[in-house]
Amino acid sequence: MSTENEGTAVPADHPVAPSTPSTPPTPPTPPTTPSASVPAAEPAPAPTPSDAPTVAQSPVPEAPPAQAQAQAQAPAPAPAPAPEPTATVPTPTPTPAAAGAGWPPPPPTVPAWGAPLPPAPAAPAAPRRRTGGLVAAVLVAALVAGGIGGGIGYWAAQRGDEGVSSTTVSSGEAPASFKREPGTVAAVAAKALPSVVTIQAKSGGSQGEGGTGTGFVYDQEGHIVTNNHVVASAADGGTLSVTFPDGKSYDAEVVGRAEGYDVAVLKLTNAPKGLKPLPLGDSDKVAVGDSTIAIGAPFGLSNTVTTGIISAKNRPVASGDGSGGSNSYMSALQTDASINPGNSGGPLLDASGAVIGINSAIQSTGSGFGQSQAGSIGLGFAIPVNQAKNVAQQLIRTGRPVYPVIGATVNMQEQGEGATIASQGSGGTPSVTPDGPAAKAGLKAGDVITGFGDHQIDSGPSLISEIWTHKPGDQVKITYERDGKTSTATVTLGERTGDS
């Protein structure tokens, strides 16, 4: 529908309206002269007084020229707010009985202008008019919907300008309402970190050489458990300092250390009150696949937490103590938690936060076992806590370690066939100690030990690692080969005190 001439007078040189427009626009309101109205195709009774006659469909006389001109010059009223769909099909309109009647007829609902449409051509014209009406209705609906949407948007903007608070939460508000559930890594770490310390060791030499390691609170008396190789450089005339996560530092001294186990115990010289020892778990019950959390100071970065799983158990590991001393041996827990230099001596926790091991060694490409400046490749090794606990208790009681032994010297170089008893011991001594545990079990030089308890033995280090998981006096079944024949024997472990 075009609205180009809305509100503009029609030129005066048109005496009458066009006869039959193809698509009528929204019709203007009827003029005041009664003769301007034209009956529709099917007239209906007008809602007028009962004595008003009706007019059948017939041609309407033309209005006088002056009257038509006045009608044409009359300004067109403004269109209705929204065109009704009935505008496409004119409805019957009443007309007066004759020109000059004494009363004006009521204005038609939708007046027709021009000549009446014949009944025949009305049918093909109807779809066009309905389509136009439908399009107009859709446009109106779209405009109304757009107006509503715009109105809502404007209302929302106005509300926003009036100071409605934002629904987002700033990062500063998050910690007050966000709680870590028990058992999550964050919760376990938060509980354990206050009991994990960073150890600074300096030798007594003029250069003051040393290093950084980790330890954890063992008891409320101020004992700290760590690796021997962490404190070895300061053990003879050096200095040790222990720093807690809150930044407070304390001097410490060595209570005892076991080179073979790679375990050491320190004591804070002025231990603060309220120390919280870490709970100790049971490393014998650990299963491959269990979650692990390692805490330490890799490359000096204190209070670092890493996670992983137990990737293997009973892994025989030999590592140095960092000072050129004797090697240590362990039947280690293997984990893929990231462990680097500086993690040594720190706790390896299970998912509940209990200590299951002491992080001690890593496998690095091209460096072999032990600590070096190489980074983690996902192969870390921890001393099982059951073994470390026994060693720590012994060191606290006597200051000296006690090792279980079988009384035989085995070859430490061969690997793959078992642990072979050497032909002779160090310095030309017998390889099997006379009247020792191995001799009493019937073992001889040249025997190849292939099993110790429930564990298979493939080398000398793996045999020692398994022996040191036991205590002096334990009875263990040994499987060995002699002259191609497999035999078993039961050995009662002896003991050796101190590091030789």
Side-chain angles (χ1 to χ4, degrees), residues 183-458:
T184 61
V185 174
V188 171
K191 186 176 181 180
L193 274 168
S195 301
V196 180
V197 300
T198 300
I199 300 172
Q200 294 285 346
K202 291 184 179 181
S203 67
S206 59
Q207 300 297 327
E209 296 178 353
T212 301
T214 307
F216 62 91
V217 176
Y218 182 75
D219 57 26
Q220 292 182 333
E221 284 70 37
H223 288 108
I224 305 294
V225 172
T226 185
N227 282 143
N228 172 65
H229 73 258
V230 170
V231 301
S233 62
D236 298 322
T239 60
L240 291 169
S241 64
V242 172
T243 304
F244 283 80
D246 61 4
K248 295 181 180 179
S249 295
Y250 303 87
D251 292 334
E253 58 185 9
V254 177
V255 172
R257 52 193 191 97
E259 293 180 1
Y261 292 122
D262 196 18
V263 174
V265 176
L266 311 181
K267 178 73 166 18
L268 302 179
T269 55
N270 294 299
K273 294 182 179 180
L275 291 176
K276 295 182 179 180
L278 287 181
L280 305 182
D282 187 349
S283 53
D284 290 339
K285 295 181 179 179
V286 172
V288 173
D290 283 350
S291 298
T292 58
I293 301 172
I295 303 179
F299 298 102
L301 300 174
S302 301
N303 312 318
T304 296
V305 177
T306 55
T307 63
I309 62 169
I310 294 293
S311 49
K313 293 180 61 177
N314 305 311
R315 189 72 78 190
V317 174
S319 62
D321 64 1
S323 63
S326 301
N327 284 339
S328 60
Y329 301 93
M330 68 188 87
S331 181
L333 298 174
Q334 180 180 314
T335 181
D336 65 348
S338 182
I339 296 175
N340 290 284
N343 276 105
S344 292
L348 183 69
L349 309 176
D350 62 14
S352 69
V355 180
I356 56 174
I358 300 177
N359 301 317
S360 301
I362 61 173
Q363 174 70 60
S364 296
T365 55
S367 65
F369 289 107
Q371 291 289 346
S372 69
Q373 288 303 107
S376 172
I377 59 172
L379 293 173
F381 303 96
I383 303 169
V385 72
N386 290 2
Q387 176 181 334
K389 177 182 178 181
N390 294 334
V391 176
Q393 290 174 343
Q394 182 68 34
L395 293 176
I396 292 173
R397 285 196 305 266
T398 68
R400 302 182 68 189
V402 175
Y403 299 93
V405 295
I406 63 171
T409 302
V410 296
N411 192 320
M412 302 298 287
Q413 305 300 323
E414 297 177 359
Q415 185 173 354
E417 300 295 333
T420 302
I421 298 178
S423 57
Q424 63 179 12
S426 61
T429 61
S431 59
V432 178
T433 304
D435 201 30
K440 291 180 179 180
L443 296 176
K444 298 179 179 181
D447 290 347
V448 180
I449 300 174
T450 58
F452 189 86
D454 297 330
H455 300 284
Q456 185 176 354
I457 302 302
D458 63 358

Side-chain angles (χ1 to χ4, degrees), residues 169-175:
V169 179
S170 66
S171 60
E173 299 174 6

Side-chain angles (χ1 to χ4, degrees), residues 10-18 62-73:
V10 179
D13 56 351
H14 294 281
V16 291
E62 290 183 77
Q67 185 178 4
Q69 181 176 357
Q71 176 183 349
Q73 292 179 350

Side-chain angles (χ1 to χ4, degrees), residues 455-473:
H455 300 284
Q456 185 176 354
I457 302 302
D458 63 358
S459 64
S462 67
L463 175 62
I464 296 177
S465 298
E466 287 300 325
I467 291 173
W468 285 357
T469 62
H470 293 77
K471 297 178 181 179

